[in-house]
Each structure stands twice: as structure tokens, then as C-alpha cells.
Amino acid sequence: MSEELIKNISDVFEEKFSRKPLIVLSPGRINLIGEHTDYNNGLVFPAAIDKYIVVALSKSDNDFSTVYSVDFEEYLKIDFNNLNKLHKGGWKNYVIGVVAGILETGKPLGNFDLIFGGDIPIGAGMSSSAALENGIVFGLNELFGLNLTPPEIMNISIDAEHNFAGTECGVMDQFSNLHGKEGNAILLDCSDLSYDYIPIIPEDYQFLLINTNVKRQLSNSPYNQRKKACKTGLETIRKQFPKVESLGKATATQLNSVKNKLSSEVYNRCMYVIEENERVKLSKEALQNNDWHRFGELLFASHRGLSELYEVSLPELDFLVGLAKEDPAVLGARMMGGGFGGCTINLIEKNSVNRFIEKVQEEYQLKFGLRPDFYEINITDGIKIYPGTQRKNIK
Ligand code: GLA
């Protein structure tokens, strides 16, 4: 756990508000495989990781609420009666969005002081925004005893993302933040939110994330267009196969039988989703059999689909996966998250990590003039209140 980060956020809070805060640890996530399948009601395979947004908060005696971002060094003052008039943009959209969502439930939310900061890199495909949204809702839920259930917390965060940040995201990020479990990935069926924990204990291997440092913001990216293309493809499939409820339940044979009714672009998008969904099932099998090499091959195949059929990759991401492919110590790699920037996830032999990092650092910088960042992450528990700071302990 990032004790130093927690102490820093807690100290800043006490300095600003002269009280002891309730503290929430809200993790980022990786996704092993199953990209862009969540909003198609397919399968995803994420896990919470040991990178966090830390949220510190307490009740306020003012007739407004105050939010401060430690990393951006910016304040936001919130008057519940005038949410629409607030200046939005960047992180503020998420905060205003979740406050609006809680108020809409009619639960007794009072004014609060809140600060947050963290070590989840922003725009890197590790879900810093879901960690912030859930972190705030989870914290306010505890502070004011709102009795929101995990699905309610999740939906408030997702609505904020859709309606305030403008990204039509699926459920994966918010779900894995809430349900993460140390040493396990979550095999989640997004059609009904049923899930299994699959132990991920790669004794000889390490998950290594490499950040291209090409920043992306999904709300400005063609993310929403991809979702639209999937919808168009599904509607055409359903004309012939009305029982198919989502692309997550469609087969390649069904798609092929309507191929001549689809543009090649929509066909490719849909084929990617159908194949990726299949790869999630195969990955589960491989991991249950401890077959890390097979899982690695599926990662490379996933990247190919994301790059060539779904077209959400970038030259920087393709280059990093290319380096991984050339290296015998890397079992598999692919871009991770929404795409158009962010990280690759690599499965690599533990004793080759340093050597590989050095090589990538040099070659990537030479080619793109950018320094990549590296994160050796561990799979951890989902969101929680930092022990000893529960509501009963702070006031
Ligand atoms: C982003 C979205 C998720 C998911 C991924 C792609 O992280 O927030 O819902 O769609 O992209 O798999």
C-alpha cells in the first residue's frame, strides 16, 4: 500500500481543514484481456492494482462544499443548488457528475470538504477517472451513511462518465475498482454482471505496464464512434437473428451471413469484438491450466485485432508491442484500455524485466523522442476505507 501517498494526502487535508479525514483508497485497474467488449455485453478480465487515487474527506459546516485536487492544485466550490452553473472541464466533470448523481437519489447528502491525489497516471488506460468517481461516491456514502449499494455506487459513477465527461464507457472500470481481490482477476460477464475470481499467480512472470506517455482523453477520441459502429452491426445481425441480444452473444458465422449488408468498417469492428470475446474464454482456460505461454499468444492476438480491425491503437503502442514480440522473454503484450494512447501490458519473465526496460527505454526514445514510463504492478483488493479512518473514528 502507498503509505507515503496516504500520509501526504492526509497531511494536506489536515493543513487545509484542521480535521482528521475519512480516507478512501481507490485503486486503478489493469485489464488482462477483453477490450471494448464491456459495452457490447461481452466478457472482460480486469483486476484492481496497487496504484491509487486517495480521497480524504469530512463533513463541512459551510453551506457549500469544497474539493481540492492535490495534483492539479485546483479548487472547486460546489453549491448543491447551482450545480449547472459550475465551471466544468477535466477532473471537475467527474466530481460534479457524481455529486449530481447522489443528489438525484434523494439521499441525505450534506456539505463536505474533500481532497484527492494519487499515483495512477492520468490518461494511461488504468482508469484514474473511475477510481476518482467511485472514490468520491464511496467516501460520501460512508461519511453520510447513505446506504448506497455497490451497483448504485457503480451506476452513479458510470452516469457521471456518460453525462458529464462525455465518454460512453462500459461497466468494466467501475466494477473492477469495487470488486477487486488481491491475487485474482475478475472474469466478468457484462451482460448480467455475474463474475468469477480467477487466481493470477504468475510465479516466474511479471505484469509490466509501459506507458507511451501519449495522453489520450476518451471523450475526444473515436471511442463513442466505435460504440456506434457496434450498435449498427448488431442491428443488422438482429434482423436475421432476432434472438442475438448483443455482440457479446453473436457468433462469427452470424456476422459472416450478413457481411454483404455491412460496410467493411462496421464488419471489422464487429468481428474484432466477437473474436476478442472468444479470446477471453480461451484465456480463462489457459490461466486455469497455468499455461502462461498460451495466454501470451492470446495477448498478441488481441493487440492485432485492436490495431488492425478495431483501429484504436497508435504507432507508439504498435512499436512497443513489436519490441515485446521480438524479445524471447516476453510471453505476450497488447495495448490496454480504451486506446489512442496510454499503456501496453506485457507478460514477461521476472529475471528479464530490467534488461527489457533498458532496451525499450532506449529504442522508444530514439524513435519517438518521448520517455516511456514503466510500472511493475501487483493485483490488489478493490476500494476500501483506510483502516482507522471510518466514520465512527473521525467525528
Ligand atoms: C475504457 C472504458 C471501459 C472499456 C475500455 C475498453 O477504459 O472506460 O468501459 O470500454 O475503455 O475496453
Side-chain angles (χ1 to χ4, degrees), residues 12-142:
V12 176
F13 188 92
E14 283 188 52
E15 215 171 86
K16 290 197 183 300
F17 300 109
S18 314
R19 304 189 173 182
K20 286 233 169 292
L22 184 154
I23 292 177
V24 182
L25 292 184
S26 191
R29 63 113 187 87
I30 52 172
N31 185 21
L32 297 184
I33 196 162
E35 220 63 89
H36 290 273
T37 43
D38 61 351
Y39 54 80
N40 285 302
N41 280 345
L43 302 168
V44 291
F45 212 163
I49 54 168
D50 56 349
K51 295 237 163 258
Y52 298 93
I53 297 278
V54 177
V55 178
L57 68 165
S58 75
K59 291 184 181 175
S60 165
D61 303 325
N62 299 325
D63 53 6
F64 56 86
S65 294
T66 304
V67 179
Y68 179 72
S69 159
V70 174
D71 299 315
F72 290 100
E73 299 181 6
E74 280 173 7
Y75 280 98
L76 171 68
K77 192 173 149 188
I78 304 179
D79 170 358
F80 291 169
N81 299 317
N82 277 313
L83 279 186
N84 296 337
K85 295 205 184 118
L86 288 177
H87 178 74
K88 303 197 180 72
W91 63 271
K92 294 178 184 168
N93 288 338
Y94 305 115
V95 180
I96 299 168
V98 293
V99 170
I102 298 174
L103 290 173
E104 222 165 80
T105 65
K107 303 264 185 183
L109 179 66
N111 278 305
F112 58 88
D113 295 320
L114 182 151
I115 75 165
F116 71 91
D119 59 5
I120 309 177
I122 294 170
M126 289 151 82
S127 290
S128 55
S129 62
L132 175 59
E133 294 150 2
N134 274 358
I136 295 175
V137 186
F138 196 84
L140 292 173
N141 192 36
E142 166 81 9

Side-chain angles (χ1 to χ4, degrees), residues 29 31 34-39 44 125-127 129-130 161 167-174 216 218 223 272 306 334-339:
R29 63 113 187 87
N31 185 21
E35 220 63 89
H36 290 273
T37 43
D38 61 351
Y39 54 80
V44 291
M126 289 151 82
S127 290
S129 62
E161 192 90 41
T167 307
E168 294 282 320
C169 69
V171 296
M172 171 168 74
D173 305 348
Q174 288 78 4
R216 61 105 181 90
L218 288 183
Y223 181 97
Y272 161 75
L306 285 159
R334 62 177 197 84
M335 55 147 277
M336 191 181 76

